[in-house]
Amino acid sequence: MLRYAATRLISLTLSLVAASLVIFAVVEVIPGDPAAYMLGLNAAPEAVAALREDLGLSGGLVERYLTWAGGMLTGDFGTSYTYRVPVADLVAARLWISLPLALYALALSTLLALPVGMLAAARRGRVTDYGIMGFTQLGIAVPNFWFAMLLVVLLAITYPIFPAGGFPGWDAGILPALRALTLPAVALALPQASILARVMRSALIETLSQDYIRTARAKGLTEGQAIRNHGMRNALIPVLTIIGLQFSFLLAGAIIIEKVFFLPGLGLLIFQGITQRDLVVVESVVMLLVFAVILVTFLVDLAYALVDPRLRHAR
Amino acid sequence: MIGIERLSVVLGGVPVLRDVSLAIPPGRTLGLVGESGSGKSMTAFSVMRLLPQGARVTGEITLESRSLASLSERQMCAVRGAEIGMIFQEPMTALNPVRTIGDQVAETLLVHGAATRSEAQGVARERLARVGLSPDRFPLDRYPHELSGGQRQRVCIALAIALRPKLLIADEPTTALDVTTQAQILALLRELVREEGMSCLFITHDLAVVAEMADEIAVMQAGGVVEQGPTGTVLREKRHPYTRALFEASGHQPARTTRVEDAPLLEVRGAVRDYALKRVRFFGPRPAFRAVDGVSFALRRGESLGLVGESGCGKSTLTRAILGLEPLQGGEIRLDGAPVSPDMPPELRRRMQVVFQDPYGSFNPRHRVSRLLTEPFHLTGQPPDLDNRIAEALENVGLTASDAEKFPHEFSGGQRQRIAIARALIARPELIVLDEAVSALDVRVRAQILDLLADLQARFALSYLFIAHDLSVVRSVTDRVMVMRVGRIVEEGETEAVFSAPQDGYTRALLKAAPVLPAA
């Protein structure tokens, strides 16, 4: 197990290095001068030169990469050109909304999807299954901002249980903050839960046709016991893969939902960074997201090994 | 005592069992034999009440004078595992890969409320020891993937007999195992049935196995029992024509006329094949596993050469090297003097074709037969008379030219294997490698395919390299035979000489382990 974790950890580090090189290179290869690009067509040459100095664009390639990557490691992400504040502070503030929102949505989606998927698999081919499959189809087809607007109309306006938007900050207390995140989390979770429930269902049905389920039935287990004791853990592998992918998406892909609910999250930050040509912000946030994705992949890999002894024992 | 009375099953409107009546007293074994689709497993699953949904069952099944048909599903769950245990064909997949063997044996006790968690562990240890997996070498926390096929089948037996059931159903329990492992498992089952006083329903397609195992035999054909009686009587008298046909097909000896030339067609000299394993330490050297270790032999033109050995002995690795699919790490292989390697010219490749075991797996299901057959022409370019070549190849293997437009699923297993042979023939090869080519076939179909191969060999002066684990088949169709063990050829010689007077200890052990059909 330790050996497996060590290999995964090495692969994680290498992925990070590779990703940082690619991101650095992309910013480098944008035609023309990043500083001129950021300032637009009509910028004064002096302003461009000043920004170049500011961005640390004057040194050699290797030196610039090392400064940038080294800064990242020590938490120095550079200074945003448009906001005139350290990117680290900008990101930290947004992360305090986006990360809890993503985790909240992921928890909702998983808690909803796994039992529903199991139920559909246990009742496969019957009315319950068809009903669940129909609803999940709808959940995938309808865009999440549409759910978001429905939720606002229903639960914020008609029955004002939750706020329609905005975020009071964690200083206002955990409960108000969670209340503000509930509707966006639900809107984000519904499509994800629909996908996850379908994956859970098909993974379970796949394992149910395996020989070891037949062995379990021959031992005297009921179908339900066979699913719980033998089907579930084997079906978890594809489910974990999807959960990993979903977390990455939820962290950065929530931009439309952030718009609908006026949440200043990471998605909005990166969007603004791109429209305002703030390459320092874009570079840093993209790197941060890549880090999050790779970290989640690493955790999913570890979870695989917990589920499947064959990976733990792999030589 | 288990009794089955006039059992009939209809599945999706199709009758799959008709009026099956059987009885097995305690301590006795009933062998249920027949070809695939004859209803053997259906009978077992009817007893277990684990038939597919929508099956309509009539008739009576009684276990110790208790009718099973009238039990509710919940009551039936209490019977399965406790009063009836069952083991299956494929030990590699029959166990849950993510749970320990101790857990899986103990679960039988736990679901029936027969023991507390800690007691169940103790019983599991004792039962695993009973089937030959001693706790010091096989602790309860082992996972299935750490065990061999034979060891896993022992675990399956342990969990089936954990509660000392009155009936043990064994559905082809040794079909997927090597002969020496098979002999051990059969001995274990015989001993268990006798000592635990169980009734045993033993399902197999192999008459030789059933002759060793069963007190009584029931022969099934097309969902019905055609002949039933004490093993000795049934095998001696063979009253039903179907029994007779099965028996003859099992020992079938194709009429072979071979003209073996002295010149070697295939020469293998000192072949070595290593597989790199994972590094023990990061940056350390990669250890290697030597799958083929200095193998040398020659196959003469027109000859049939057999290659036998148990799984993992290196047969398949050697085969891939001979076909030029993988490189050697030492030695050389020559076909008619030209070196064989992964980058050999297509013309050389054409002269050597292969037929595999599984006709289902080796065809793309979405291609028509005509396209499947002409695959070898990717090597050499399509001949101008393509349609004639297709028709000729199909007719040579006993199919018709019009079959070219069909898809693989429209054929039976035996017909598919004929298509695979036609695909090999169409390139007009000199050597055909038959890699377990008849192992998945029913005995009567197998006999037909063996006749076909003998006929083709005579007509086209073909040479065969015949790779199989079934010793009796190898004996009936080869001129010479090689026995392989852990990467080496341990014995080689004229087939009859090797089989009647084996020199090597391993060859003797193999032959001793192979079940033999009693002489008619």
Side-chain angles (χ1 to χ4, degrees), chain B residues 231-279:
Chain B
T231 303
T233 319
V234 170
L235 293 183
R236 203 169 42 246
E237 296 179 0
K238 302 188 273 279
R239 261 177 276 141
H240 196 276
Y242 179 72
T243 314
R244 220 151 36 233
L246 274 186
F247 219 85
E248 277 159 15
S250 297
H252 182 72
Q253 188 92 37
R256 301 175 58 236
T257 46
T258 48
R259 297 180 306 268
V260 179
E261 298 173 20
D262 278 341
L265 175 63
L266 177 75
E267 289 170 280
V268 177
R269 270 197 288 265
V272 172
R273 179 81 183 91
D274 288 334
Y275 283 111
L277 299 175
K278 287 219 171 142
R279 287 184 176 82

Side-chain angles (χ1 to χ4, degrees), chain B residues 289-357:
Chain B
F289 172 71
R290 184 149 289 189
V292 174
D293 188 5
V295 167
S296 300
F297 67 90
L299 169 65
R300 288 171 295 172
R301 212 175 264 283
E303 187 180 38
S304 286
L305 177 62
L307 175 61
V308 297
E310 297 186 295
S311 41
C313 74
K315 301 193 294 284
S316 307
T317 309
L318 179 60
T319 310
R320 282 195 297 273
I322 289 173
L323 290 169
L325 299 175
E326 288 174 5
L328 287 178
Q329 278 69 48
E332 59 168 1
I333 299 174
R334 284 177 180 276
L335 182 69
D336 204 12
V340 168
S341 71
D343 45 4
M344 65 192 193
E347 173 52 27
L348 190 60
R349 233 174 241 288
R350 176 195 67 79
R351 298 169 64 184
M352 178 162 62
Q353 296 289 323
V354 63
V355 177
F356 290 110
Q357 169 170 356

